[in-house]
Every structure is written in C-alpha cells, then in structure tokens.
Amino acid sequence: MFPLSDQQRLFLVESEQVYRAWETAVRQHEQYRYGMRWLKSNGREYLIRVADARGNGRSLGPRTPETESTRNAFDAGKIRSHERLKGLSARLREQAKLNRAIGLGRLPTVIGDILGRLNVAGAGQDFRVIGTHAIFGYEAIAGVHCRMELLASGDVDLLYDSRKRLSLVSRRLDGSGLLGLLRKADKSFEPAGKGSFRAINADGFMVDLISQPIDMRQKDAVTFAQEDLVTTEVPSLEWLANSPRIEAVAISANGLPVLMSLCDPRAFAMHKAWLSRRPDRDPVKKQRDINQALLVAEMVLAHLPQYPFNSSAMKYLPADVLSGATRDIEQASDIRLPGMDF
C-alpha cells in the first residue's frame, strides 16, 4: 500500500467534483426525458406531460396563455439542461484522459460501467459492492493504492438489502431488472441458468446478486423483473447489510470516475477475518480473506481516522465476531486494535 502523489490526489478530487456535477446534470436532464406535447380532444388542445416511452402522461390543462407559458418554460429548460450535460460530459471525458495518463484508473471498466448505469437509474444506493472490489472504493477514500494482486478478481458481488421496497427498486431499473441493466453495460451478459443469482459475460466476468437471509414470512424470491436474476441468501451478510452505508468515487480503468456504494470499511475487515477461519471456507480463499482483512484494517488505522475501531460503535456485528476477528487480525500481523474492548 502506497500513498497517491500530490498530482494524483488533485486529479482524484477534481474527478469527484466533476462527476458529482455531471451526475446531477444527468438527473436534471432525465426530468425532460419524455417531454410535453399538445393533444387534441373534442375540438380543444390540452397540454400533456408525457411520463413514459409509451406516450402515457397527465393533462396540465387546456391550451391557454398559462399552459403555453408552461410549455415554453419546459422547452427552454430542456435546452439548458442539454447544454449543461453536454459540457459536463466533455469535461468528464477530458478528466478521464488525465486520470489514465497519471495512473489513477484502477476499478475494472466493466464494473465502472455497471455502477455508472445503476447510478444514472437512481438505483446505485440500492446495491452495495462487497468483496474484493470494494477495496477500490476504500483506497479512493484513503488516497492510497494497494497491491493489485490482492485486488484481482473475476467477479463482483452486489449486496441487495432485502428489506428495501422491491417495487421501488424495480421501477428504478425501468422494468428490465438487474439483468437488463447489465446488458446495457455489456450485451453479452447472460444468466448462469434459469432463476440464477449470477450473470456471466463473454469474457467470463461474473456479477452475483446476493442478500442477507430473508425473513421467513417472505415467501416470494427477490427479483426485479421476469426472467431476471434472483438473489441468493448468504448467511452473515445481515452484518454487512446493517453496517453504515458509505460512498466513494473511484476511478475506472478507462479513467472515468464512478460512485460506489459500500459497507463500512471496518465491517469489511472484520467480516473478512471472520470468513478466514470458517471451517467450510475454501483454503485458498481463507488466506486471501485474512490478507484483505489486514490490508483494510491497516488502511483504516493509517488513513481513515473517521472510522475508529471501537467495539461500542460497531454493534451491527455480534460481539463474538468482533472479538474473534480482532484476535485473528492481531495474531496475523503487528496491527493492534486498542479500541476493541470485550
């Protein structure tokens, strides 16, 4: 793990500023997506605010000076929105070139594309990146780069909190589900099987849709559309689902910044340490788990003082998990977690 240069830090800050302005512009532009039109009915014209691609909408009233003013204001706002988005998109592309030139691009481009589309759809906060690729977000917050051998992975885990309103997330995904969104990022994505939690693209990259154990009273599988991916329940993920959600703007390998929704980095470290001593865990993954736990714990201690290791502030994890993970981290390294008192 090594710190970013001053130039890299500057570009990272500028990337976040431009990206957040661009994302706001995208959301504003979406408000003009379907437009307004005049509709004749019974010899009169009515102003219709179109709400979807099928032309459905609601009437704003008959044609009068007031509704004509409303239409004109809408059209002028749409032009301003388009020009603003056009300018910020150009600025974002220029920043991407600078980021690539200075070596800031880290997150695999396919993940950046997926997360970017989730964010534009307004669903980015509904899916948290957990597992190996979350470290790209943590290092962006910390202003460091980690050894790539600890970050290499051929899949990404998206944690969906099954307590969220399913219908709301489905609408954000525009009725095409998560699989439909993945195909907008890469048309080669296909489900691993009918009703699978996993999609795989032509390069063999996998996206897994996972959730914490679902309430026994909930009988239906969690999915967002017909023929979509179906979440698979993973024991212990309720700890991550209950941890604070944080955001990080990371840089994709193509230089474009992207907003990542993540779990508390302390929860990541503790959960990875816990996984490393599970008897049913693949031995190869066990060593990788503890190495990643140590990496993120060290990163938090050295660069993220806003996340102190404090057992009383981490009650979203069971006490036995905290105590066992603390012991494993301290025994495997010279790291000490003085705030973890039991």
Side-chain angles (χ1 to χ4, degrees), residues 122-175:
Q125 64 181 3
D126 297 314
F127 299 90
R128 285 194 252 186
V129 178
I130 64 172
T132 298
H133 288 108
I135 300 176
F136 287 108
Y138 300 141
E139 67 174 18
I141 300 173
V144 300
H145 279 171
C146 305
R147 301 196 317 272
M148 287 300 291
E149 58 264 29
L150 284 177
L151 305 182
S153 177
D155 69 304
V156 64
D157 296 327
L158 297 180
L159 171 62
Y160 173 71
D161 188 340
S162 57
R163 295 168 298 188
K164 288 180 175 288
R165 286 180 57 192
L166 190 61
S167 60
L168 181 60
V169 180
S170 297
R171 286 198 298 272
R172 288 171 178 162
L173 294 174
D174 203 23

Side-chain angles (χ1 to χ4, degrees), residues 312-324:
S312 64
M314 299 172 63
K315 292 183 178 179
Y316 47 82
L317 291 172
D320 61 327
V321 172
L322 285 175
S323 60

Side-chain angles (χ1 to χ4, degrees), residues 242-277:
N242 290 335
S243 73
R245 187 185 72 87
I246 68 170
E247 293 181 345
V249 174
I251 308 300
S252 297
N254 61 7
L256 288 172
V258 63
L259 186 68
M260 300 182 71
S261 183
L262 307 164
C263 299
D264 186 316
R266 297 167 296 181
F268 176 97
M270 291 296 176
H271 187 251
K272 280 289 185 177
W274 176 83
L275 281 175
S276 72
R277 55 189 168 87

